[in-house]
Amino acid sequence: MRLKKIVTFFEPFLPTPDLQTIQSHIIGNKRVQSSKKLSKLVSPNVLGSCLIGLTIMTTSPNLADAPKHEQTYQQGIQAYDSQDYETAFKLLLPLAEQGDARAQYQIGVMYNFSEGIKLNEGEYSIVHKAKAKEWFTAAAKQGNADAQVELADHILLFYENPKKVTEALAWLEKAAAQDHAFAKCKLADIYFEGITDDFASGTPVDKEIKPDTDKAMELLNSAADQNSICALNKLVRIHQKGKYGVPVNLAEAHKSLVKTAELGNTSSMTMVGDNYLNGHGIEQSDIHAYMWYHTASEVLGDSNKPTPEMIAHGIVYVDHNAERIKPLDEKMSSKQIAEAKNLSQIWIDEHKPK
């Protein structure tokens, strides 16, 4: 599956030392953080006038020249990955109009971020959000799970009165039924917190959802079994803090944290090292703490060093792994340090891309 930018509005993915997270990363459905922000949103009654009709096919295309169609799609995705958005849009739009659900989803993504298409003078970004929703709807109706998740986001987040919670849940459940791990993670969020009328904005919902921790945990564990970092990070926090009535279980928190580290997350590696150093959820071991700190530092490589720009601007850079290793260097014997570094190298060799 190609790497695609998408908008997500639930809990994000990379853990940091205080266990906060950013964007979701899903193995098999790869997602990356986007720095783009939603802006220029206007009053709720504008949306209705912004839902400009698009002629969108919602049936699979009848392709007389399937190889050429696929080649064009791949070229469009390559252009998108290269950030040549105008070319990507020109290549993918005709395919989307022919009914290719993958292209429809990607065009929806591009409208969501206004990539390859510009707002006309006087238009607000919500015009493109509305078009994105139409393309996501077309792809979702054909069973595209990514589009189903994005469509649910739009329904829950943007201006509809009442908010159609029932429809959003239905789309998320369709995606979850296809084993879309991020959809499960989102559904878990909903069942942990529940959904009621949004009194802050005055927006009612068509159906209130009561919290259901058992159902949420079932969804979260299922997503975690698919190596969803979103789900694993939530399990770390839940077991570490004892949230939603789930008892504190540091051993379970550590297991989930190790899984995210095994997936290459360097912040998780550092925190696994902290657990070994302090004996949280695992037997205390200076050797294994050193091993994980050293591994995180090695995996980060040059990215773990201050850039010339940072130095020029006097930005203080702290290498958290190096700071943690210093006292261990003083405390441990040379034999123990050699063992820790050897364990680190073994781990790195085993996890190199095949």
Side-chain angles (χ1 to χ4, degrees), residues 59-85:
T59 57
S60 299
N62 182 13
L63 303 176
D65 192 356
K68 184 178 180 181
H69 180 102
E70 183 63 25
Q71 182 182 33
T72 301
Y73 174 77
Q74 296 300 334
Q75 289 172 344
I77 293 300
Q78 289 171 8
Y80 182 84
D81 290 344
S82 300
Q83 298 184 6
D84 183 357
Y85 300 131

Side-chain angles (χ1 to χ4, degrees), residues 83-103:
Q83 298 184 6
D84 183 357
Y85 300 131
E86 289 188 10
T87 298
F89 190 83
K90 289 176 182 177
L91 288 169
L92 294 172
L93 182 61
L95 305 186
E97 290 172 338
Q98 291 174 41
D100 187 316
R102 302 168 304 168

Side-chain angles (χ1 to χ4, degrees), residues 181-325:
F182 195 55
K184 296 176 185 178
C185 204
K186 283 176 171 284
L187 280 170
D189 273 334
I190 290 173
Y191 285 114
F192 276 131
E193 302 289 348
I195 295 180
T196 58
D197 289 345
D198 187 349
F199 294 108
S201 67
T203 304
V205 296
D206 66 347
K207 178 182 179 181
E208 291 195 356
I209 305 299
K210 294 182 179 179
D212 186 337
T213 298
D214 289 340
K215 188 169 185 176
M217 286 297 291
E218 181 181 350
L219 287 161
L220 212 54
N221 283 318
S222 176
D225 287 342
Q226 295 173 252
N227 287 336
S228 164
I229 295 184
C230 166
L232 290 166
N233 284 343
K234 291 179 191 299
L235 288 172
V236 170
R237 287 199 309 282
I238 289 168
H239 288 304
Q240 188 177 64
K241 305 291 185 181
K243 299 180 70 176
Y244 308 114
V246 177
V248 171
N249 189 327
L250 295 183
E252 285 299 317
H254 180 78
K255 288 178 184 177
S256 295
L257 194 58
V258 169
K259 285 185 178 181
T260 65
E262 293 282 344
L263 293 169
N265 189 291
T266 54
S267 295
S268 293
M269 294 176 195
T270 301
M271 288 189 283
V272 170
D274 289 343
N275 282 352
Y276 273 110
L277 186 67
N278 299 301
H280 290 167
I282 194 71
E283 185 178 352
Q284 198 281 337
S285 170
D286 288 343
I287 290 174
H288 284 88
Y290 195 114
M291 171 256 178
W292 281 106
Y293 296 146
H294 184 75
T295 302
S297 185
E298 289 294 302
V299 171
L300 284 167
D302 290 339
S303 65
N304 200 33
K305 299 175 182 177
T307 63
E309 291 79 9
M310 293 171 67
I311 295 171
H313 288 87
I315 298 173
V316 177
Y317 179 83
V318 178
D319 184 338
H320 294 287
N321 294 296
E323 290 294 313
R324 285 165 165 80
I325 286 174

Side-chain angles (χ1 to χ4, degrees), residues 20-227:
Q20 294 303 305
T21 52
I22 61 172
Q23 202 65 315
S24 170
H25 177 90
I26 302 175
I27 304 302
N29 291 286
K30 295 182 181 176
R31 297 166 180 263
V32 294
Q33 184 189 11
S34 170
S35 61
K36 298 180 182 291
K37 305 292 183 182
L38 298 178
S39 61
K40 293 186 178 179
L41 295 182
V42 292
S43 60
N45 58 359
V46 172
L47 180 63
S49 62
C50 291
L51 290 175
I52 300 168
L54 295 175
T55 303
I56 301 175
M57 292 182 65
T58 56
T59 57
S60 299
N62 182 13
L63 303 176
D65 192 356
K68 184 178 180 181
H69 180 102
E70 183 63 25
Q71 182 182 33
T72 301
Y73 174 77
Q74 296 300 334
Q75 289 172 344
I77 293 300
Q78 289 171 8
Y80 182 84
D81 290 344
S82 300
Q83 298 184 6
D84 183 357
Y85 300 131
E86 289 188 10
T87 298
F89 190 83
K90 289 176 182 177
L91 288 169
L92 294 172
L93 182 61
L95 305 186
E97 290 172 338
Q98 291 174 41
D100 187 316
R102 302 168 304 168
Q104 290 173 341
Y105 166 72
Q106 193 63 44
I107 290 295
V109 170
M110 296 181 75
Y111 267 117
N112 228 0
F113 291 111
S114 294
E115 293 171 329
I117 49 279
K118 295 180 180 179
L119 287 165
N120 297 322
E121 186 177 352
E123 284 186 329
Y124 291 91
S125 62
I126 199 153
V127 173
H128 282 180
K129 303 299 177 189
K131 291 182 179 179
K133 182 183 175 183
E134 291 203 26
W135 284 112
F136 286 144
T137 300
K141 287 181 177 178
Q142 294 195 75
N144 185 289
D146 287 332
Q148 290 168 348
V149 172
E150 292 308 306
L151 181 55
D153 266 342
H154 275 254
I155 293 168
L156 289 173
L157 266 169
F158 294 106
Y159 303 114
E160 295 194 12
N161 193 345
K163 202 173 288 291
K164 298 175 182 176
V165 171
T166 305
E167 184 182 351
L169 277 179
W171 285 119
L172 286 174
E173 285 167 356
K174 284 178 183 290
Q178 297 185 61
D179 269 342
H180 195 290
F182 195 55
K184 296 176 185 178
C185 204
K186 283 176 171 284
L187 280 170
D189 273 334
I190 290 173
Y191 285 114
F192 276 131
E193 302 289 348
I195 295 180
T196 58
D197 289 345
D198 187 349
F199 294 108
S201 67
T203 304
V205 296
D206 66 347
K207 178 182 179 181
E208 291 195 356
I209 305 299
K210 294 182 179 179
D212 186 337
T213 298
D214 289 340
K215 188 169 185 176
M217 286 297 291
E218 181 181 350
L219 287 161
L220 212 54
N221 283 318
S222 176
D225 287 342
Q226 295 173 252
N227 287 336

Side-chain angles (χ1 to χ4, degrees), residues 306-349:
T307 63
E309 291 79 9
M310 293 171 67
I311 295 171
H313 288 87
I315 298 173
V316 177
Y317 179 83
V318 178
D319 184 338
H320 294 287
N321 294 296
E323 290 294 313
R324 285 165 165 80
I325 286 174
K326 280 180 184 178
L328 290 173
D329 274 328
E330 298 172 1
K331 176 183 178 183
M332 294 167 62
S333 68
S334 58
K335 183 179 179 180
Q336 288 175 317
I337 291 173
E339 182 182 352
K341 288 184 176 179
N342 183 55
L343 288 172
S344 173
Q345 191 58 54
I346 291 172
W347 188 95
I348 291 171
D349 289 342

Side-chain angles (χ1 to χ4, degrees), residues 3-29:
L3 190 65
K4 301 173 183 175
K5 284 191 292 186
I6 58 166
V7 186
T8 55
F9 302 99
F10 283 72
E11 292 237 83
F13 97 93
L14 298 173
T16 59
D18 64 353
L19 292 178
Q20 294 303 305
T21 52
I22 61 172
Q23 202 65 315
S24 170
H25 177 90
I26 302 175
I27 304 302
N29 291 286

